[in-house]
């Protein structure tokens, strides 16, 4: 007798095209610089796939993009953004301005409204007016310019710390003083490092390595970067803005 | 939908509860009294699962009375709230928990202060200046945040209560059309007409 | 809907130099609806020992009553104050008695314990809802804002803080963490315990 049990109920099959690969990213804007950072651990569930998978990418000499969420989507998205920026260069013989890149990213994300790139994007860099900027996006393209933003697995750990240290939330300035609107680069770098060591300590998906990209405005000196261990310059053109990367180790347990 | 409000003022607590008894979509009764006078200076409104409500309210009523008969003095509001809370908390982890939400308003004749307790079916108790249960709470609490005054006279308190009732009548889809209002103060409990 | 998030609320405790601090928010809600901004969930056990009970509101009251009863019985029998270590095990065993039908509370304990030399040693501990003890050397957190509390505390805390600095650290940690949590906030209370006194301060916080 033939087996008919499988016909009793219609079988549902589903292919899940998404996964989460952990990790955390963060960006902070200064008056004339921008810092964009991410850890380098890539995991799936309790397994570490690799201890070095960059999540932060240099787009131009004034724009750096951090992507977090589903790594395959993230890598493909960065590839497509870079491609669009190259076409822009061929058409206009210059790099796309930061705010235009931000709008490009929103258009590309919303273009996939009904099969989204499962990634949170944070774009950092220098605007045309020379100010440091951070743009944060949700997976379908809602975006906003901010002074700082954390995203990813340890967002809930890092963001309230940033509220306190960058926006001075719940702090009152001393009499006849006011809180600084922008912090110096050296302070920002130590806040970034503290954020990631803290997140590494308490979140299993964060750790291994830390990559901090620093974008400096045209004509700005190196102050705040000198004496920092393991700085490497990545500037490609002599337009004026300069890009550096600082690589650090994080705990691997 | 079942709704009840309560607020304190200068030397009094007002409790208001709707008077409908509904089964599914049918109004079975429109003059149900859902506020019990537990003792000379203690009021309790009850709402929740039909059957549970009356059973539990009467159980509380008789035990509060028993205490008074045994000891010749009544339980103070805080003590009554604690006893009722414990009954609900023990019921919660029993085979058939009561699902009854209460507002307990009393005038403490020992320290001459009005007390209001918000109690839910889990046994959560909070002492509050004003409180509400049911869907009406989503409208009434914001009004009470704005208009409640612990020093208000009874007339002003009743005016504030009226605002709540009118807002519920205006904005809630299936709003109750009548509320029973009772007051407890130094002279004891009594019903008032709005 | 999770029972642990039904009423909201968070507690944190920190160790300082010859002192400890324990702090909590003051919100009690029904899911998204705020009921009161004056709900105490941290209670004194002895003059140098406090317990915080974040979790389901009804169990906060039930456990407070239970612990008060059991500590009173201990004090009468032993004719001395209960020590933090002992109390932590009392909490643990009380919760584990209900292993398969637990109280939905994750207690946080902070106090000073008597050292053999006659001095006092800072003590903090936390347990999960079935009484698994965690003796930390730095800080412990619990409640709906626990992830946020971990993040901020990890960034702000340092060893050997004096009482006033510990107060500032725990207050900033709590306020900034609960401001990113929809279920916690609406004001806060902080207790700083030193060998001579307990300083209790009520903090204003964001009301949204």
């Amino acid at each position: 007798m033939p087996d008919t049990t499988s016909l009793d109920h219609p079988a549902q099959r589903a292919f899940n095209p998404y996964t989460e690969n952990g990790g955390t990213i963060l960006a902070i804007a200064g008056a004339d610089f921008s810092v964009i950072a991410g850890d380098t651990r890539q995991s799936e569930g309790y397994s570490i796939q690799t201890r070095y998978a960059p999540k932060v990418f240099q787009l131009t000499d004034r724009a750096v993009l951090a992507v977090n969420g589903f790594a395959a989507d993230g890598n493909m998205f960065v590839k497509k953004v870079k491609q669009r920026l190259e076409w822009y260069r061929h058409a206009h013989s210059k790099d796309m301005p930061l705010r235009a890149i931000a709008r490009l990213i929103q258009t590309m994300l919303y273009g996939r409204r009904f099969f989204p790139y499962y990634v949170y994007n944070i774009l950092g860099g220098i605007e045309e007016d020379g100010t440091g900027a951070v743009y944060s996006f949700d997976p379908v393209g809602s975006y906003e310019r901010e002074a700082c933003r954390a995203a990813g697995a340890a967002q809930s750990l890092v963001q309230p710390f940033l509220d306190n240290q960058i926006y001075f939330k719940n702090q009152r300035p001393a009499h006849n003083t006011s809180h600084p609107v922008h912090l110096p680069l050296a302070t920002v770098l130590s806040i970034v490092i503290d954020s990631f060591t803290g997140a590494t300590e308490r979140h299993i998906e964060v750790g291994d390595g830390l990559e901090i990209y620093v974008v400096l405005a045209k004509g700005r000196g190196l102050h705040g970067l000198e004496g920092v261990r393991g700085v490497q310059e990545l500037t490609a053109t002599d337009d004026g803005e300069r890009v550096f990367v600082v690589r650090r180790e994080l705990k691997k347990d | 939908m079942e709704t009840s409000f309560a607020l304190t003022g200068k030397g009094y607590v007002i409790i208001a509860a709707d008077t409908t008894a509904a089964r599914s979509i049918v109004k079975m009764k429109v003059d149900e009294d859902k506020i019990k006078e537990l003792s000379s200076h203690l009021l309790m409104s009850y709402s929740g699962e039909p059957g549970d409500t009356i059973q539990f309210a009467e159980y509380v009523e008789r035990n509060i009375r028993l205490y008074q008969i045994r000891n010749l003095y009544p339980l103070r509001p805080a003590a009554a709230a604690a006893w009722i809370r414990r009954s609900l908390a023990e019921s919660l982890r029993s085979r058939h928990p009561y699902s009854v939400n209460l507002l307990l308003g009393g005038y403490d004749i020992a320290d001459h202060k009005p007390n209001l307790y918000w109690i839910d079916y889990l046994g959560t108790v909070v002492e509050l200046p004003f409180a509400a249960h049911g869907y009406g709470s989503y409208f009434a609490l914001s009004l009470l945040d704005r208009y409640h005054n612990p020093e208000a006279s009874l007339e002003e308190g009743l005016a504030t209560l009226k605002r709540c009732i009118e807002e519920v009548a205006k904005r809630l889809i299936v709003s109750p059309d009548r509320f029973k209002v009772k007051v407890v103060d130094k002279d004891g409990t009594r019903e008032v007409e709005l | 809907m999770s029972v642990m998030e039904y009423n909201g609320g968070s507690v944190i405790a920190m160790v300082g130099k010859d002192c400890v601090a324990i702090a909590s928010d003051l919100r009690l809600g029904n899911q998204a609806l705020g009921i009161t901004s004056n709900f105490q969930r941290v209670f004194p056990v002895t003059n140098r020992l406090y317990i915080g009970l974040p979790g389901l509101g009804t169990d906060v009251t039930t456990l407070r009553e239970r612990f008060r009863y059991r500590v009173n019985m201990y004090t009468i029998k032993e004719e001395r104050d209960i020590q933090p270590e002992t109390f932590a095990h009392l909490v643990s065993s009380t919760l584990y008695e209900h292993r398969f039908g637990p109280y939905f509370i994750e207690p946080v304990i902070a106090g000073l314990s008597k050292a053999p030399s006659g001095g006092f040693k800072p003590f903090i501990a936390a347990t999960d809802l079935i009484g698994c003890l965690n003796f930390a050397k730095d800080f412990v957190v619990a409640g709906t804002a626990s992830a946020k509390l971990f993040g901020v505390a990890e960034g702000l805390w340092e060893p050997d803080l004096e009482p006033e600095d510990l107060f500032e650290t725990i207050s900033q940690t709590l306020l900034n963490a609960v401001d990113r949590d929809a279920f916690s906030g609406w004001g806060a209370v902080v207790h700083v315990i030193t060998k001579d006194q307990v300083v209790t301060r009520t903090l204003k916080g964001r009301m949204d």
Side-chain angles (χ1 to χ4, degrees), chain B residues 40-76:
Chain B
S40 62
H41 291 82
L42 200 58
L43 289 172
M44 181 178 81
S45 80
Y46 50 92
S47 57
E49 182 82 12
D52 280 13
T53 51
I54 293 168
Q55 181 69 22
F56 185 74
E58 286 181 356
Y59 170 74
V60 169
E61 187 182 31
R62 289 348 294 172
N63 274 281
I64 298 275
R65 179 76 188 116
L66 177 62
Y67 184 94
Q68 200 169 339
I69 293 166
R70 278 179 173 164
N71 299 283
L72 303 176
Y73 56 85
L75 273 177
R76 293 171 71 178

Side-chain angles (χ1 to χ4, degrees), chain B residues 85 92-93 120-124, chain C residues 1-9 28-30 39 41 53-63 102-106 129 143-144:
Chain B
R85 189 209 87 82
L92 182 71
R93 287 182 161 86
D120 74 1
Y121 73 99
L122 300 166
T124 318
Chain C
M1 187 209 79
S2 155
V3 183
M4 296 302 289
E5 275 106 57
Y6 185 74
N7 296 120
L28 178 123
N30 251 202
F39 187 75
R41 57 181 118 252
L53 302 169
L56 191 68
T58 182
D59 291 344
V60 174
T61 317
T62 306
L63 279 182
Y103 289 117
F104 297 99
I105 296 281
E106 295 182 335
L129 74 170
T144 53

Side-chain angles (χ1 to χ4, degrees), chain C residues 50-108:
Chain C
Y50 278 67
I51 184 168
L53 302 169
L56 191 68
T58 182
D59 291 344
V60 174
T61 317
T62 306
L63 279 182
R64 182 191 56 168
E65 286 168 1
R66 255 188 109 92
F67 290 142
R68 187 177 62 175
Y69 168 75
R70 298 193 74 170
V71 167
N72 282 347
M73 292 306 285
Y74 181 97
T75 316
I76 292 164
K77 279 186 187 150
E78 297 278 327
E79 297 183 314
R80 64 189 172 94
D81 274 352
I82 195 167
Q83 287 302 299
E85 288 83 350
T86 320
F87 180 67
H89 284 98
L90 187 152
V91 169
S92 171
S93 56
T94 305
L95 291 177
Y96 197 80
E97 272 179 21
H98 302 271
R99 171 63 179 80
F100 297 109
Y103 289 117
F104 297 99
I105 296 281
E106 295 182 335
V108 167

